[in-house]
Every structure is written in C-alpha cells, then in structure tokens.
Amino acid sequence: MIRIETSERRNLVTLALSGRIQAEDLPELKRVMESYSKQLVLDLTGVKLVDRDVVTFLADFETDNGRITNCPNYIREWIRSERAQHRND
C-alpha cells in the first residue's frame, strides 16, 4: 500500500511516496497529483517495491518534465531499461 506525504514550497509540491506501489495504487497517486497546479516532484525515498506499470508511469512522468528524487537504484535502472525498450519498439 502506498503512503503519500505532501509538502509545498512556493511553486513546487513534493510528494514523498513510501511503501509498496503497484498498478492499483496509480489512480490514487494520479488523483493526488492532479489536485495540484504547481510543479511536482516525486520523492521515492521510502519506496520499497514497484511493479512494471508503476515503472512505466514513472518513466512517462520524467519524460513529461517531472522530477523524481531519491530514486532507489533498482528502480532507476528499470526506468532506463523501460525507456530504451520503448525507443526500440
């Protein structure tokens, strides 16, 4: 289950995510994200496990100029792999 903590500074909103994030958590995350009109940063410090749908979502988020901070190495590598695969399709 995903936990989301928010913090706001000027024109920036940081969503600190923690726990296990799976495809069924994405609608809730998207709902929270859409409630802000400011620039978003996803802080993945507390994320322990993700599935492929979440990695695809994170890759798309970054591609659309979103920022991800404190991304665990295995997730970062998976995002890179996902992007490379989509470029080759």
Side-chain angles (χ1 to χ4, degrees), residues 17-48:
L17 309 180
S18 58
R20 170 183 272 181
I21 308 174
Q22 296 178 300
E24 58 263 19
D25 297 312
L26 289 176
E28 171 69 10
L29 178 56
K30 289 176 184 178
R31 185 190 62 73
V32 171
M33 292 172 71
E34 289 169 358
S35 69
Y36 293 97
S37 59
K38 300 177 181 181
Q39 181 181 358
L40 292 174
V41 174
L42 299 180
D43 181 341
L44 305 186
T45 300
V47 174
K48 303 298 181 209

Side-chain angles (χ1 to χ4, degrees), residues 56-68:
T56 300
F57 170 79
L58 293 172
D60 291 344
F61 174 74
E62 270 193 325
T63 298
D64 295 337
N65 296 316
R67 207 167 99 219
I68 297 174

Side-chain angles (χ1 to χ4, degrees), residues 67-84:
R67 207 167 99 219
I68 297 174
T69 62
N70 302 310
C71 187
N73 288 334
Y74 85 94
I75 297 174
R76 174 59 57 208
E77 288 303 315
W78 199 358
I79 289 171
R80 283 187 191 119
S81 174
E82 192 70 21
R83 280 195 189 121

